[in-house]
């Protein structure tokens, strides 16, 4: 009954959802394209293989090592990856090109999910992290498609939200065939929401299995040398609205102590690239945009990272990293990429999406939490002025990453059991 009411509500809200899509298309024109796929029509859907759903950019990047292994281990099985956002779609195409099929996931109405599954006829479905939809899961169960929730995470805050609609989501969670969860604390939250203990394994986070590309790191070092090897550089990555201005004010304070410091500012969403660049210019900073290909001059204090797919490369150009989505209550982003590159990591207080990972890094001395822009400025100054301490913190972060690797292999073993 709860799912029927949900479906009815979703159906009547569909005009509003489409209006919101049009509104988003004003800022990001890509939202106006490929609408048919949101109704399970069109797209490059490859039948009879492995289906992976990665909602957006972060999940696509996290899924990439798994997908590459699946391509190698099961060359006879085609892979189709679905997502929800244009940026996620662009990331999938950059990562895999024509190696995989790709389409948007349709809206969560039962007849649309049924149509997609009829077209896919997958041997297994792999959903990254916690991108679950009641009708999607119910229709997969009806079609006898085994579902894996991979690299699953569930913050205490999200768990409380699910509990408020328990009648709707408990059947959804209980229908999952296998959950590869990141931590024991999250496993307990999944159990409370209906996942059977025997259908779950604490595998750790596959984000620990991230390994920087040595060629890309070398290219970053060469570019950094062209900026001036003695110039201190810090990066504020995956920033959100309301956060950029705090970062810029912090950078102004950093410049008082280190006049030649360079900030690499990378907004999370590409539709904000232009507005953030204007914001930097209006704040009075000398600025260069990465998309223009020019080098930052000595009198330019900010490099705006306005390209897609280059975040790891830009991390490798910096001495330390602030990870955004954490000075505003968004929950933070992936702390492991800068840590794997040997960068000390700074985070705001809002890190509920990555609590366990951030606490591991913090406990090792590789991550420092700052409460506001003033504390951010002080921390950046301290790290940039203390080479030995900065290197020690970076090495501690790399050790945490190395010590927790292996989740990918455990995940692949579980998928293999369902494919056998």
């Amino acid at each position: 009954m709860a799912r029927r009411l949900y479906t009815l509500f979703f159906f009547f809200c569909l005009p509003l959802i489409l209006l919101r899509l049009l509104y988003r298309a004003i800022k990001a024109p890509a939202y106006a394209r490929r609408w048919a796929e949101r109704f399970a029509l069109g797209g490059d859907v490859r039948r009879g293989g492995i289906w992976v759903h990665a909602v957006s950019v972060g999940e696509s990047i996290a899924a990439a090592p798994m997908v590459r292994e699946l391509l190698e281990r099961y060359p006879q099985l085609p892979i189709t990856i679905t997502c929800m956002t244009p940026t996620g779609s662009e990331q999938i195409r950059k990562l895999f090109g024509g190696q995989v099929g790709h389409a948007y996931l349709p809206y969560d109405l039962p007849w649309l999910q049924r149509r997609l599954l009829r077209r896919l006829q997958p041997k297994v479905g792999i959903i990254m992290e916690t991108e679950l939809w009641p009708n999607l899961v119910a229709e997969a169960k009806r079609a006898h498609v085994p579902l894996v929730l991979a690299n699953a995470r569930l913050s205490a805050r999200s768990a409380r939200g699910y509990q408020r609609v328990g009648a709707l989501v408990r059947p959804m969670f209980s229908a999952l065939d296998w959950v590869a969860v990141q931590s024991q604390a999250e496993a307990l939250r999944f159990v409370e929401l209906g996942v059977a203990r025997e259908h779950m394994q604490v595998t750790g986070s596959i984000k620990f299995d991230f390994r920087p590309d040595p060629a890309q790191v070398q290219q970053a070092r060469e570019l950094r040398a062209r900026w001036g090897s003695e110039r201190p550089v810090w990066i504020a990555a995956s920033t959100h609205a309301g956060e950029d201005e705090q970062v810029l004010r912090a950078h102004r304070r950093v410049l008082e102590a280190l006049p030649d410091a360079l900030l690499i500012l990378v907004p999370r969403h590409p539709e904000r690239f232009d507005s953030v660049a204007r914001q930097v210019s209006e704040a009075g900073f000398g600025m260069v945009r990465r998309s223009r290909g020019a080098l930052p001059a000595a009198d330019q204090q900010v490099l705006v990272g306005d390209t897609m797919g280059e975040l790891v490369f830009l991390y490798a150009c910096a001495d330390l990293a602030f990870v955004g989505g954490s000075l505003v209550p968004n929950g933070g982003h992936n702390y492991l990429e800068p840590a794997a590159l040997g960068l000390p990591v700074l985070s705001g207080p809002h890190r509920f999406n990555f609590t366990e990972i951030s606490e591991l890094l913090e406990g090792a001395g590789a991550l420092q939490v700052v409460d506001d822009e003033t504390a951010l400025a002080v921390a950046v100054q301290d790290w940039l002025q203390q080479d030995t301490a900065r290197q020690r913190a970076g090495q501690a972060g790399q050790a945490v990453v190395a010590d927790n690797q292996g989740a990918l292999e455990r995940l692949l073993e579980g998928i293999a059991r369902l494919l056998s």
Side-chain angles (χ1 to χ4, degrees), residues 352-368:
F352 51 80
N353 286 333
F354 295 88
T355 303
E356 288 77 12
I357 286 173
S358 65
E359 288 177 350
L360 271 176
L361 291 169
E362 186 180 17
L367 179 146
Q368 180 180 344

Side-chain angles (χ1 to χ4, degrees), residues 234 245-254 327 346 368-382:
W234 68 290
E245 50 264 52
Q246 296 185 66
V247 168
L248 290 172
R249 286 194 292 266
H251 188 50
R252 193 174 299 282
R253 296 191 183 195
V254 170
L327 280 176
L346 296 171
Q368 180 180 344
V369 178
V370 294
D371 290 331
D372 53 32
E373 63 193 61
T374 301
L376 175 61
V378 171
V380 170
Q381 288 178 28
D382 287 346

Side-chain angles (χ1 to χ4, degrees), residues 280-301:
V280 173
S281 182
E282 289 167 1
F285 291 101
M287 175 195 71
V288 62
R289 297 179 66 154
R290 170 65 182 161
S291 60
R292 308 285 166 83
L295 298 178
D299 60 348
Q300 291 175 319
Q301 302 91 10

